[in-house]
Amino acid sequence: MSLLSGCRACRSENLLTFLPMGDHPLAQAFVPPERRDETQPKFPLDSEVCLDCGLIQVADNVPANYFHHYLYVPSGADTMHRHFAGLADHLVKIAAGGLIVDIGCNDALLLSACKARGARTLGIDPAANLAEHARARGVSVHTDYFGPATADRVREAHGRAAVIVTTNTFNHIGDLHDFMEGVQRLLGDDGTFVIEVPWARDLLDKNEFDTIYHEHVSEFSLLSVEKLADFFGLEVVDAIKLPVHGGSMRVSLRRRGTARPTAVVGEMLRQEAAEGMLRAETYTAFADRIDDIGRRLKAMLGEMKTQGLTLAGYGATAKGNTLLNYFQIGPDLLDFVVDRNPLKHGLFSPGMMIPVVGPEAIEGRRPDVLLVLAWNFFDEIREQQSAFLERGGRFLVPLPEPRLVAREPERDVTIENA
Ligand code: DWN
């Protein structure tokens, strides 16, 4: 039984519930010590898919004021600094001196890069705590949720935007049609709307079920973006695949008829169809794979615990909380979770209540195995934690399949490969 009245993007009622994960706490609702004994509110996390456009979605249970104070910042990963520098180069070029508006600007990591390249910028974000960080970077922020009313106020104060960009925000929006009405009002006649979001095809291909959580109300197919845009006289004119966050896409939209779609758009749409993203069996097979992974991962952790090993997690991530809560991996298995973000230190993970500590615990408490809950940054983490590997520590990377990663064996340096 669907918890949705219809597809959030194309309005179809052809919805399939394929991964009912039960009731979960909000994935970023880390718990302060003084509230440790309180019962946490939980909401259904039952994943549905629209078989007419491929949008994976959950019912919107995020409280109205949820994003007024937000813990996540992209700055915690060097990977994102590099990624946003490349995106800023692209945006400044297509803006050609016009205004760049970032909806969901967070701490303005992207807009500060655009500003450093000489662009006119404006951020929009409801998180007052993050707006302070943005302003400290010299970026102006309109602190509010985005929709038609905010679009009208911003247009009156700053004019229409040459570029509207939104990165890892569109998948948090409960009412996409309201958001798109705002885009239509703010975007210049010759403007470009750029969306960066995880690509649902990568989620299916790499078993990334944990990227589904309450604040990620949608995981997009390119077809779902195209069908949504059509309601607002916009069309997809370009798309590129990106490695960030487990596999994303950067989709560019313009007013219908103002530009010819590139060949990549058709290629990605055909790829989605060929991989069965509109077929029910694709999703039932996915759910079976996830349940099998859960059984194997818990067995691995349980066996290690029986051997007397010390286990911990790396990355107090929102996705990690979906994985820990769905697979029921708690403090009986993981002694703590490490994270570089100081905003999370001293808190407990929502649901499983595993303590979050700083990276110094890896040396101080010397875990034998680290379950990598920030697998999307594993290369960066592995490089950063080389000392852990050198002393015989191992990473347990849960997806796309559980695998143990130890120190690279010393390569025999022979003449051929010296
Ligand atoms: O959409 C969202 C994505 C982009 O970020 C937000 N709704 C919430 C958040 O989800 P997440 O928490 O799963 O995101 P990340 O970016 O995968 O979180 C990485 C976490 O790992 C951060 O808390 C920082 C931490 N980290 C670390 O401790 N050491 C990251 C790196 C690279 C490190 O070396």
Side-chain angles (χ1 to χ4, degrees):
M1 193 272 283
S2 172
L3 294 174
L4 292 155
S5 58
C7 174
R8 182 171 283 123
C10 76
R11 298 283 199 235
S12 162
E13 294 183 1
N14 187 13
L15 296 170
L16 168 74
T17 299
F18 65 96
L19 186 63
M21 292 192 269
D23 292 350
H24 285 229
L26 296 175
Q28 291 269 49
F30 288 87
V31 181
E34 64 272 14
R35 302 184 63 182
R36 190 175 172 183
D37 297 328
E38 293 178 13
T39 303
Q40 276 196 287
K42 294 185 178 183
F43 308 93
L45 191 59
D46 297 339
S47 312
E48 305 186 47
V49 60
C50 171
L51 294 176
D52 288 339
C53 77
L55 184 77
I56 293 172
Q57 50 203 297
V58 294
D60 183 6
N61 283 298
V62 173
N65 63 351
Y66 182 74
F67 290 102
H68 280 154
H69 183 90
Y70 200 50
L71 290 181
Y72 170 78
V73 289
S75 311
D78 299 343
T79 305
M80 297 312 293
H81 288 256
R82 293 190 293 271
H83 174 74
F84 281 152
L87 178 54
D89 290 337
H90 173 67
L91 297 177
V92 171
K93 183 178 171 191
I94 62 175
L99 177 66
I100 299 176
V101 174
D102 182 358
I103 303 174
C105 65
N106 195 282
D107 62 357
L109 183 61
L110 172 60
L111 282 186
S112 57
C114 293
K115 196 173 172 67
R117 289 157 175 79
R120 284 200 303 129
T121 65
L122 177 73
I124 299 175
D125 198 299
N129 66 311
L130 297 181
E132 290 171 23
H133 295 274
R135 293 184 183 107
R137 286 189 157 113
V139 173
S140 301
V141 179
H142 181 93
T143 306
D144 203 346
Y145 282 89
F146 183 73
T150 295
D152 290 344
R153 278 197 290 276
V154 167
R155 189 187 64 243
E156 284 153 23
H158 301 272
R160 287 180 181 271
V163 171
I164 297 175
V165 60
T166 188
T167 63
N168 289 298
T169 297
F170 210 51
N171 48 342
H172 297 69
I173 303 303
D175 186 341
L176 286 171
H177 283 242
D178 184 69
F179 188 100
M180 289 298 288
E181 174 60 33
V183 168
Q184 194 184 47
R185 295 185 186 194
L186 182 57
L187 189 66
D189 292 341
D190 201 30
T192 305
F193 175 37
V194 179
I195 305 170
E196 265 193 19
V197 280
W199 186 23
R201 183 262 175 193
D202 287 311
L203 184 153
L204 293 168
D205 185 53
K206 301 178 203 170
N207 299 327
E208 295 169 352
F209 81 99
D210 55 349
T211 58
I212 298 171
Y213 41 87
H214 293 303
E215 60 186 77
H216 275 187
V217 289
S218 302
E219 301 295 336
F220 289 88
S221 62
L222 184 58
L223 180 61
S224 61
V225 176
E226 185 172 73
K227 288 194 167 198
L228 171 66
D230 191 49
F231 284 93
F232 299 92
L234 299 174
E235 65 180 338
V236 174
V237 295
D238 196 13
I240 65 168
K241 302 172 188 177
L242 301 164
V244 288
H245 293 302
S248 297
M249 58 181 174
R250 179 182 301 156
V251 185
S252 299
L253 300 96
R254 289 171 62 102
R255 295 187 189 282
R256 193 178 295 119
T258 58
R260 281 175 58 79
T262 60
V264 175
V265 174
E267 288 162 12
M268 285 177 68
L269 290 171
R270 284 189 292 277
Q271 184 177 358
E272 291 183 347
E275 298 194 9
M277 288 180 68
L278 300 184
R279 291 202 304 269
E281 55 270 28
T282 301
Y283 299 90
T284 51
F286 173 83
D288 292 345
R289 288 200 303 275
I290 301 312
D291 289 341
D292 180 55
I293 286 169
R295 283 189 292 273
R296 285 187 283 134
L297 185 64
K298 276 207 78 173
M300 288 173 81
L301 291 168
E303 177 57 29
M304 290 170 177
K305 200 71 182 174
T306 305
Q307 292 168 5
L309 297 178
T310 300
L311 312 178
Y314 192 109
T317 58
K319 65 172 85 56
N321 292 318
T322 290
L323 186 145
L324 296 175
N325 284 303
Y326 185 48
F327 292 160
Q328 289 292 286
I329 296 171
D332 59 316
L333 288 171
L334 303 182
D335 292 357
F336 54 90
V337 172
V338 164
D339 198 286
R340 278 200 318 195
N341 180 348
L343 295 173
K344 297 180 182 175
H345 295 173
L347 303 181
F348 291 82
S349 70
M352 287 291 110
M353 299 300 284
I354 300 171
V356 180
V357 296
E360 65 281 356
I362 296 175
E363 184 48 41
R365 298 172 62 175
R366 301 181 76 77
D368 300 294
V369 179
L370 288 172
L371 176 61
V372 183
L373 299 169
W375 44 258
N376 47 321
F377 295 125
F378 181 56
D379 291 345
E380 179 176 337
I381 293 165
R382 174 167 48 183
E383 188 178 331
Q384 175 205 110
Q385 295 300 330
S386 54
F388 166 73
L389 285 173
E390 281 308 308
R391 68 168 170 79
R394 290 176 293 169
F395 289 109
L396 176 51
V397 184
L399 300 172
E401 294 284 340
R403 73 184 194 278
L404 274 171
V405 176
R407 177 180 53 194
E408 295 283 328
E410 291 300 322
R411 274 194 329 149
D412 298 334
V413 179
T414 59
I415 300 300
E416 291 75 27
N417 65 13

